[in-house]
Amino acid sequence: MAQQQGRYCSCGTRLARDNHGERCATCQRKTAASAAATPPGVPLEFWQHERMRDALASWHMGQVFYAYRTHPWHGRVLSQEVMAAWLDLNQAQLSRIESGKPPQDLAKLMRWAHSLKIPADLLWFKLPDVGRATATAVTAAQPVPEAPTPKSETPLAGGLLPVVVNGRAVLVPVDAETIATSGLGSFVGTSADASAQATERDPMSPLNRRAFLKNGVAAVALPGLGLDELQHVAAALDDAHRYLDGPVVDYFRRVLDKAKRDDGALGPKKTLPVMLALLGAVESQAREVKPSVRRELLAVGSDGAEFAGWLYRDIQQPQAAVFWYDRAMEWAQEADDAAMQGYVLLKKSQMAYDERDALRMLTLAQAAGHERWQLPARVRAEVTQQEALGRAMLGDSLDVVRGQLADAEALLTSAPNDDPDALGAYFSDDTRLVRDAITLTEAGKPSLAVDLFSDVLSAGALSHRDTGFFNARRAAALALSGEPDEAAKVGTASAAVAYEVRSERTVRVLGEVLQTLDRWRSRPAVRAFRESLTA
């Protein structure tokens, strides 16, 4: 019999008889390892998935990583170890990035975006053009990524006005109302126009929009600023040590107040980027200002950091929320703002409720109620109600719980109602009543809670996002009361709002409702509710 001619791998190794391929086992393992070391090629539709779009809109690369790993296109959730290897990180580093403060090192952001092959037009920072080595170096040196321009249909619409300060131009955000009433229309382009003008200029040009955003705030609506005021703001952002003063701190305050007002309608999906830009500006400018201004600036910063903590709670990122609550406390202490320190303790108590830690929740609420904080009556009312909720969870009698709820009502009735931006101003009679309903649910009286929820929510006085959240709590009370069909119906409506404004906190509550409804899982309304959460 003639000897069978041998077959060889390209590396020179003779192939085994049962190997019908063209590579030896060693080369096959090396090829597989090489493929696993780089991200797979994904279609353009991959980046249009709703959760991926939301992650990119958050300006948080950690959220982008998480959305990438959990994308249904992969067929299964990718481990942090696999993705970390692609990005030249370890698993612990990737975990911190996903759950911590948004990374601001632009060089790293660009490297990670390149590794994952994220389309440049979806990023919130500009990738360098090929062949522009100088531009690349300048861009990579900037610590804060460029914020995307808000869409014109949102309340943040406006333009960017080039204002000349000390012989150089700085782009200052201007809202539509200012443009219409101040005669600045011929000087101001739309956000898109300003971006295009900046792109056409050399990256070193002072009119580059990135030069303003490096030290300033994303384009937000600020009515009532004329040309003189805009020039003053631009000068302050250009030279904080020399120019930043009370009026500019007030500018920061107005940005914060508007973001809070927008949150109820837009949710964290739209509001968080504005807040991160503001806090970046505060953090940067606070290092350069005079001591007399620093305390004013940090007082605004502590308020903004507390609000950022709330936004991260709403998207269920507790580690990031704790980071900003701690920063709010630190800045409030330096600013000698006693009321804000007590307020942060209240917010930490509410976060403990998210985690079902009843004892910590109660002791934090009691600490927040100490007289040393000199809290306004409205906040003291909220603190008293929070203590009642803690006592309900720990099994105190219904009489004790209702007594504290009555105390909270009396405090709220005595609170002045003339400053819409005062600390705790959002805590209204409607908010108190729906939180009373939550307390009654925890006290084992869900049927009483259902009636309270229905009365308040039917009036339509709450914000869009809050209506969605408290409907989730209403669904929970209905489920506990043995009304599965109505609970499922209310839960389905709540889910639609939760996904619209990206309130993961609401989604978590709805998940608990679905568990309560499990014994009725065969009912059509419950099946439809389950599908609304898993779609």
Side-chain angles (χ1 to χ4, degrees):
M1 181 180 294
Q3 185 175 4
Q4 184 178 5
Q5 185 176 2
R7 296 184 304 117
Y8 293 86
C9 176
S10 59
C11 69
T13 301
R14 183 167 180 163
L15 299 176
R17 287 186 178 182
D18 59 350
N19 185 343
H20 302 294
E22 298 179 354
R23 290 175 294 181
C24 66
T26 301
C27 286
Q28 288 178 18
R29 285 195 298 270
K30 289 181 179 179
T31 301
S34 176
T38 57
V42 298
L44 289 177
E45 293 78 11
F46 180 95
W47 307 104
Q48 299 305 319
H49 189 272
E50 182 178 2
R51 293 187 182 178
M52 179 57 74
R53 292 202 311 269
D54 288 347
L56 289 164
S58 73
W59 303 0
H60 192 317
M61 188 59 83
Q63 294 186 31
V64 176
F65 291 164
Y66 180 79
Y68 189 102
R69 289 195 306 105
T70 59
H71 199 294
W73 184 85
H74 300 298
R76 59 184 178 85
V77 175
L78 300 178
S79 69
Q80 289 183 331
E81 289 82 358
V82 168
M83 176 168 262
W86 296 343
L87 303 171
D88 196 24
L89 301 168
N90 59 43
Q91 182 273 331
Q93 289 172 323
L94 180 60
S95 179
R96 285 195 295 272
I97 292 170
E98 286 189 355
S99 60
K101 182 181 177 181
Q104 295 187 344
D105 186 323
L106 192 53
K108 291 180 180 179
L109 291 171
M110 289 192 297
R111 185 174 72 247
W112 294 332
H114 178 74
S115 296
L116 296 180
K117 302 179 179 64
I118 304 175
D121 60 331
L122 300 180
L123 296 169
W124 60 97
F125 51 90
K126 184 179 179 181
L127 292 175
D129 295 333
V130 177
R132 280 192 170 184
T134 303
T136 301
V138 171
T139 304
Q142 296 182 4
V144 180
E146 178 179 350
T149 303
K151 294 181 180 179
S152 59
E153 64 267 19
T154 72
L156 304 180
L160 294 171
L161 175 67
V163 179
V164 178
V165 179
N166 294 334
R168 62 186 293 267
V170 179
L171 289 175
V172 179
V174 193
D175 70 298
E177 182 178 341
T178 299
I179 294 171
T181 61
S182 63
L184 298 173
S186 60
F187 299 96
V188 186
T190 64
S191 297
D193 293 338
S195 178
Q197 292 168 5
T199 304
E200 291 172 359
R201 293 179 172 83
D202 184 85
M204 295 294 289
S205 167
L207 279 175
N208 190 329
R209 186 161 65 106
R210 198 179 299 265
F212 167 73
L213 292 170
K214 175 182 175 182
N215 293 314
V217 182
V220 294
L222 291 176
L225 290 183
L227 185 57
D228 291 342
E229 289 83 0
L230 289 169
Q231 188 163 10
H232 184 72
V233 169
L237 295 174
D238 185 52
D239 186 353
H241 183 75
R242 180 178 176 186
Y243 286 101
L244 206 147
D245 54 13
V248 180
V249 173
D250 183 58
Y251 164 86
F252 279 28
R253 167 64 66 185
R254 292 167 69 184
V255 173
L256 172 59
D257 290 342
K258 187 178 190 311
K260 288 182 178 181
R261 290 192 295 272
D262 289 342
D263 175 50
L266 305 178
K269 179 177 176 180
K270 298 290 186 181
T271 312
L272 187 55
V274 176
M275 286 312 306
L276 294 179
L278 171 65
L279 292 169
V282 169
E283 201 163 25
S284 173
Q285 305 300 334
R287 301 189 189 101
E288 304 179 35
V289 297
K290 299 175 182 177
S292 59
V293 177
R294 179 178 171 87
R295 279 178 52 181
E296 291 183 59
L297 189 59
L298 291 184
V300 176
S302 65
D303 194 356
E306 180 278 315
F307 183 53
W310 149 248
L311 294 172
Y312 275 112
R313 274 178 59 204
D314 201 21
I315 61 174
Q316 288 293 284
Q317 290 199 19
Q319 291 181 328
V322 168
F323 171 87
W324 284 112
Y325 281 151
D326 288 345
R327 179 58 58 87
M329 181 66 80
E330 175 189 332
W331 282 349
Q333 288 170 341
E334 188 173 348
D336 196 23
D337 188 342
M340 179 56 68
Q341 294 173 57
Y343 191 65
V344 172
L345 289 173
L346 167 64
K347 295 303 164 182
K348 286 193 171 187
S349 173
Q350 293 172 347
M351 187 171 178
Y353 176 68
D354 295 342
E355 299 163 357
R356 306 297 297 173
D357 190 342
L359 183 58
R360 183 168 184 267
M361 172 191 162
L362 177 61
T363 55
L364 279 169
Q366 291 171 332
H370 197 283
E371 61 183 12
R372 73 168 66 90
W373 308 124
Q374 303 174 24
L375 295 173
R378 189 174 298 275
V379 179
R380 284 189 285 122
E382 188 175 5
V383 169
T384 303
Q385 186 186 59
Q386 182 72 4
E387 185 175 346
L389 178 58
R391 291 189 180 280
M393 293 178 70
L394 290 171
D396 282 16
S397 71
L398 185 60
D399 287 341
V400 170
V401 172
R402 279 182 158 164
Q404 285 205 295
L405 293 179
D407 291 343
E409 180 181 6
L411 282 167
L412 185 59
T413 302
S414 69
N417 197 28
D418 54 353
D419 185 357
D421 297 320
L423 195 64
Y426 61 87
F427 191 68
S428 63
D429 278 326
D430 290 322
T431 307
R432 179 186 62 80
L433 287 171
V434 288
R435 290 190 184 176
D436 279 358
I438 293 173
T439 303
L440 290 172
T441 303
E442 295 289 356
K445 300 294 181 182
S447 58
L448 297 178
V450 168
D451 293 337
L452 264 182
F453 278 127
S454 300
D455 290 344
V456 177
L457 293 171
S458 62
L462 298 179
S463 70
H464 185 53
R465 191 269 318 283
D466 287 352
T467 297
F469 175 73
F470 287 117
N471 260 329
R473 292 294 185 190
R474 177 186 173 199
L478 285 163
L480 292 170
S481 299
E483 300 185 42
D485 291 342
E486 187 65 18
K489 177 182 175 182
V490 172
T492 301
S494 172
V497 177
Y499 287 126
E500 178 186 344
V501 301
R502 200 182 169 215
S503 177
E504 296 295 335
R505 184 180 64 132
T506 304
V507 173
R508 180 184 59 79
V509 174
L510 292 172
E512 296 170 359
V513 174
L514 193 58
Q515 290 180 0
T516 306
L517 293 174
D518 186 61
R519 57 180 170 149
W520 294 291
R521 58 183 174 275
S522 62
R523 299 180 74 89
V526 176
R527 288 203 305 269
F529 175 41
R530 180 183 295 107
E531 290 171 2
S532 73
L533 284 179
T534 58

